[in-house]
Amino acid sequence: MTRNTLHIACESIAEDGSRSSALHAVAPSALVVAGWTGRDSAAIEHHIEELAALGVPRPSSVPLYYRMASLLLTQSAEIEALGDQSSGEAEPLLFFSRGEWWLGVASDHTDRQVESYSVAVSKQMCAKPLAASAWRWRDVEAHQDAIELRSRIFEDGRWVDYQRGTLAAIRPLAALRDGLPGLGKEPEGLFMTCGTLAALPNARGEAIRPAAQMEIELHDARLQRRIVHRYAVRVLPVIA
């Protein structure tokens, strides 16, 4: 199988605090989207019930690991989506390269219409944009809960906050990673998105909603750095 190659600037911090960056050319061997990853079990159950009222089936387990085609991963500034009922969501991204785990940010772009009958299929239908930079996981693991996850969308002619919170709302990422069935000791090229935050409603009360452009971000205030990726969505016509 032909693989796409992703080029990611991976930053490491030495014991003396100095920073260095190396460009990794990573051929994804597998893509996993972890879902239902919130730490608050009551909030998860409430969200499951909300989605069930919209026709979205309950998950078979919590958390849940969806296997996706690795070719969905992209660093392009534009993706294509069938119809106008898809939307993105910012997620922390763990991947394994050159004997190390790295933390980046990606968007689990999803077809919301298809989601009403199959979450797995809805995720498989859309490209998964990711940023072109990452941090060494062991440099941030101890303060992961303080790292901010954020997304913005271009709506009504301006950029607005769409999601905002910290990784403290998501299960510890190493535990999510280690809970993946069949995880090998050195899974070179494995990419896993680790869950997301609730969408912030707009003035019309709309929460999860499509947008023509989206920006996703990780902000590490302790080490004063950010990872940002912005992408546009080109809508393809649905031909019956």
Side-chain angles (χ1 to χ4, degrees):
M1 182 183 71
T2 302
R3 298 180 184 177
N4 55 328
T5 299
L6 305 171
H7 295 89
I8 306 172
C10 295
E11 184 178 88
S12 305
I13 300 177
E15 290 184 4
D16 63 2
S18 61
R19 304 184 186 190
S20 62
S21 183
L23 186 64
H24 290 212
V26 189
S29 59
L31 170 60
V32 177
V33 174
W36 314 102
T37 64
R39 291 193 198 182
D40 187 333
S41 57
I44 291 177
E45 180 59 30
H46 178 68
H47 186 50
I48 290 173
E49 292 176 355
E50 284 182 322
L51 292 176
L54 299 175
V56 178
R58 293 179 64 90
S60 56
S61 62
V62 174
L64 198 59
Y65 298 94
Y66 300 95
R67 289 297 300 266
M68 301 285 114
S70 59
L71 287 172
L72 293 174
L73 290 166
T74 180
Q75 294 170 309
S76 174
E78 181 182 70
I79 66 170
E80 297 174 317
L82 186 64
D84 60 0
Q85 295 302 307
S86 71
S87 63
E89 50 193 35
E91 304 205 3
L93 172 74
L94 286 176
F95 66 94
F96 195 81
S97 174
R98 300 186 188 177
E100 293 266 15
W101 285 98
W102 304 87
L103 175 66
V105 67
S107 176
D108 178 18
H109 206 88
T110 299
D111 186 306
R112 303 301 172 183
Q113 188 171 15
V114 174
E115 189 177 37
S116 65
Y117 67 82
S118 175
V119 174
V121 175
S122 71
K123 294 180 180 299
Q124 177 66 38
M125 288 187 66
C126 299
K128 308 300 183 192
L130 72 151
S133 56
W135 304 322
R136 187 167 60 176
W137 171 241
R138 59 187 168 98
D139 294 336
V140 298
E141 183 174 10
H143 67 276
Q144 64 180 291
D145 284 1
I147 295 175
E148 184 179 36
L149 177 66
R150 180 185 183 189
S151 71
R152 300 193 302 156
I153 60 173
F154 195 73
E155 184 174 51
D156 298 330
R158 62 190 181 96
W159 286 97
V160 300
D161 279 348
Y162 185 66
Q163 297 168 287
R164 191 162 194 165
T166 68
L167 299 191
I170 298 173
R171 295 179 188 228
L173 303 193
L176 279 173
R177 175 199 65 198
D178 295 344
L180 176 63
L183 180 67
K185 290 184 179 180
E186 294 186 351
E188 186 71 25
L190 171 65
F191 286 74
M192 186 175 78
T193 65
C194 300
T196 192
L197 307 172
L200 302 171
N202 59 16
R204 296 182 292 274
E206 300 165 331
I208 297 175
R209 56 198 187 273
Q213 297 183 69
M214 186 173 204
E215 182 182 87
I216 55 177
E217 177 185 328
L218 277 184
H219 176 211
D220 183 354
R222 182 168 301 184
L223 296 175
Q224 299 183 348
R225 55 186 181 170
R226 298 176 186 271
I227 299 174
V228 181
H229 181 69
R230 181 178 290 183
Y231 68 97
V233 182
R234 185 156 72 93
V235 174
L236 303 178
V238 178
I239 307 300

